[in-house]
Amino acid sequence: KGAKMSSSKGELVTFDQALEVYAPEIIRWIFAMQRPNHDFSLAFDEDVIKVYDEFDRAECAALACPADRSGKDGFLRRAYEFSMIERGSLPESQPFRPPFRELCNRLKVCDGDIERVLSRFYQNKIKTPFEETAFRQRARNAWNWLKNFAPEEFRYELNKVPLAMDLSDAYKTCLQDLIQVVTSVDLETVDPKELNQKIYDDVIRKNNCEAKDFFRIVYRKLINRDHGTRMPGFLKELGRERIMNLLSV
């Protein structure tokens, strides 16, 4: 990391470390996509999310392409074939794979408990043993990345107990109204835009509070930071019970 392979500078990254972050087929895919006479980078920072997204899109394009196709589509297909650990065993259609960023957020909500993430968010989406195995692999990689390699802004933890804060009566009322909003909607199905609108209408504007200050207080109560991932989606991931506990005043 940090220098060309021909340089004496930089930090050595072993394949064992790479396998903490990437599934084996993704490492093989990264190599298969490169021209052999060009050097390339293996990301361990925020670009890990980009690599996973690119692999998922490439997998979709490769499986939609006939095996005998030439040109760019044929190259994608061959690179994908070479990335598979067991040769000749390509899926018939694109398997379900949770988006990496989404999976990271849900792992943080569930304190890294892969089984809890699976049962709460993905049980009805995973249909085959291949998909379940791939899910567990990706979840382990995502959690390892969060713990050991992710930038600081990704490495927050949920508060275990309600955080005591010295708040004005107005902002205490805001928190109580936010709890009311959360209990009045179905967090599983509500659209994030609709939830965001309700937060502004029924909490911020209703109490004539500053949005920036209000969100800072909520993030402090939830993760003890001044900011975090987008509030509506974050609240949907947390679930009603945890929100009510952490936002209590």
Side-chain angles (χ1 to χ4, degrees):
K1 293 190 297 183
K4 291 184 177 182
M5 291 181 69
S6 59
S7 171
S8 61
K9 299 179 181 179
E11 178 185 342
L12 176 67
V13 176
T14 68
F15 268 112
D16 283 343
Q17 287 176 303
L19 287 167
E20 291 179 21
V21 174
Y22 293 106
E25 63 268 21
I26 294 185
I27 294 179
R28 290 169 65 101
W29 173 78
I30 291 170
F31 274 82
M33 288 292 291
Q34 310 302 321
R35 295 175 61 181
N37 59 343
H38 283 65
D39 56 9
F40 60 92
S41 299
L42 189 63
F44 283 82
D45 58 9
E46 188 175 350
D47 281 346
V48 167
I49 298 171
K50 180 181 177 181
V51 173
Y52 271 89
D53 289 346
E54 288 176 346
F55 174 82
D56 291 348
R57 288 194 296 269
E59 181 176 57
C60 181
L63 291 174
C65 174
D68 58 354
R69 180 73 64 84
S70 61
K72 181 180 179 181
D73 290 341
F75 172 77
L76 285 176
R77 172 86 180 194
R78 289 296 286 152
Y80 180 69
E81 289 173 349
F82 279 123
S83 75
M84 293 295 100
I85 303 303
E86 295 186 21
R87 300 291 296 278
S89 59
L90 269 64
E92 293 183 2
S93 59
Q94 185 179 25
F96 170 76
R97 298 186 191 272
F100 193 79
R101 183 189 294 271
E102 173 190 276
L103 181 57
C104 286
N105 289 335
R106 290 175 171 179
L107 282 165
K108 285 183 284 190
V109 167
C110 294
D111 301 317
D113 188 331
I114 293 174
E115 297 306 314
R116 207 160 111 215
V117 172
L118 174 60
S119 63
R120 179 177 173 186
F121 297 108
Y122 299 113
Q123 196 69 61
N124 296 328
K125 296 181 179 181
I126 293 175
K127 307 297 184 183
T128 67
F130 178 91
E131 290 179 337
E132 183 170 347
T133 299
F135 166 80
R136 294 181 190 279
Q137 174 75 64
R138 181 166 291 196
R140 289 193 296 270
N141 289 142
W143 189 241
N144 286 336
W145 179 70
L146 285 169
K147 290 191 301 179
N148 302 317
F149 299 100
E152 182 63 28
E153 60 265 27
F154 285 87
R155 299 169 71 171
Y156 64 79
E157 293 184 4
L158 286 173
N159 293 330
K160 299 296 187 294
V161 296
L163 180 69
M165 297 182 68
D166 185 15
L167 301 175
S168 67
D169 290 340
Y171 283 106
K172 288 180 181 178
T173 301
C174 280
L175 291 177
Q176 292 167 350
D177 285 344
L178 179 57
I179 292 174
Q180 181 61 40
V181 166
V182 168
T183 56
S184 69
V185 300
D186 184 347
L187 287 178
E188 296 288 334
T189 60
V190 66
D191 183 82
K193 290 183 179 179
E194 178 185 346
L195 180 57
N196 191 61
Q197 190 64 50
K198 288 184 71 67
I199 292 172
Y200 272 91
D201 290 342
D202 299 345
V203 180
I204 296 172
R205 295 190 181 102
K206 174 185 173 183
N207 294 288
N208 197 29
C209 291
E210 290 290 335
K212 182 178 179 180
D213 293 337
F214 170 69
F215 286 128
R216 181 183 59 79
I217 290 169
V218 174
Y219 284 121
R220 277 285 169 192
K221 296 284 284 184
L222 297 176
I223 60 175
N224 203 21
R225 293 195 177 190
D226 288 336
H227 53 80
T229 56
R230 288 180 62 83
M231 182 67 68
F234 191 34
L235 294 177
K236 282 171 61 67
E237 305 287 4
L238 282 176
R240 182 176 296 138
E241 183 177 344
R242 211 157 189 178
I243 295 170
M244 292 175 66
N245 176 49
L246 293 178
L247 295 188
S248 60
V249 294

